[in-house]
Amino acid sequence: MEEPQEHNHNHNHNHNHQDPPKSSTAPLSPTCVKCGGPCSFPPPPTQSQWSEISPPPVYRPIRSPAINLPPNTNSQAIILAPVPQSQKVPTISLPHTFQSPSKKIQSPDDIRKFINSNSSKNFLGFVVALSESIRARKISDSCHESTTLRKIVSVIEGLVHWIEEIPPVQQSSRYGNISYRTWHNRLVENSENLMLQFLPDNLKSSVVEVVPYFTDSFGNSSRIDYGTGHETNFAAWLYCLARMGIIEEVDYQAVVSRVFVKYIELMRKLQSVYNLEPAGSHGVWGLDDYHFLPFIFGSSQLIDHKYMKPKSIHNEDILENFSNEYMYLSCILLIKKVKKGLFAEHSPLLDDISGVPNWNKVNSGLLKMYRAEVLEKVPIMQHFLFGSLIQCIEEDDCFNLGFLSCDIGLNKMLA
């Protein structure tokens, strides 16, 4: 029979001894846990050596341990929530009094009022309508492109060229190159002129309201960061243009495949050149460090696709060959290039989504998640702006999708 391996401990006994007889009383000397022989080390004290006068010091860690736990979200509520539906955007009647938008949301109660308001439902319905317009279509597919949309694309292309004119400076910090502030200051200084390039004469007075949404769509110059709140501001800017009739339903496909795709191209360049810090990122438990809407629009593109399924994101050939046509695949490809390690470890949520059987379920789930994780979050929506086009929660009864007068809205509130 094979000899047992030697064990390392200090005790004074011969290894050829027989096992000592078992006794009902506790042994007087410590014994080896392997062979049962006596050890030379004294046993540990059974009682505390600290006196009542001088108790042991209380250990308080400097910081809590960094444990990667998922954020405290009610995923079951998201699953059971109804899927948002598309809505027609009601256009304003002229003449209209535009106003400088301001922040209104400060508490969870304000969020609840906003989510239940007609303004919120119609804005989310606009996002759904954009998603439906690109359903089962590639980015390069032909679509109606109005002169106004071409001018908007030209404006965004100009912002891309500014990055080449304002190179990043050498600095030690990883995130937040200060050259971004120069780029953003130029944006603020020229924003009105950029809007006037495509606004008709009877809507030029709207710059006071639409410019703040536009300038807040590209990140924060103080913190040098960018997140889903800024992306939502860009969607809100597009929604304001739809409220004014500048964007019509026939334009929706081009709004996504031309304007929004160009916007994402600009933002990715800003993020990589100036190292914008992710604003409010959930880390590995988030969908993406910066964006949300490209996943919604991109999943809609892939609905009913013959060959590509949600699990196809794990096929490197598919990502390389089709990422230029499908936004969802483009997002996945970028994540895999930027983040190291196993995809299931650095992007567990996207990995879980890849197990969903079809793109229709992915799209509807992302729409519900966008409402819960973006539009219902105070840290994000506390920066959202309200004016006459996206009305504040106190004035929402005047909205009513039929544009009743404020007097009627006031009577409804007092009833």
Side-chain angles (χ1 to χ4, degrees), residues 21 43 57 75 81 146 164 178 188 191 232 262 272 293 297 333 335 365 371 406 410 413:
S75 58
S146 66
E164 300 170 0
I178 58 175
V188 174
S191 55
T232 300
K262 182 61 66 174
S272 62
L293 292 178
F297 301 150
L333 180 63
I335 290 173
R371 177 176 55 193
C406 290
L410 182 60
M413 287 188 286

Side-chain angles (χ1 to χ4, degrees), residues 282-300:
H282 287 305
V284 299
W285 298 105
L287 190 67
D288 182 77
D289 286 340
Y290 297 105
H291 295 287
F292 202 116
L293 292 178
F295 293 93
I296 293 177
F297 301 150
S299 60
S300 181

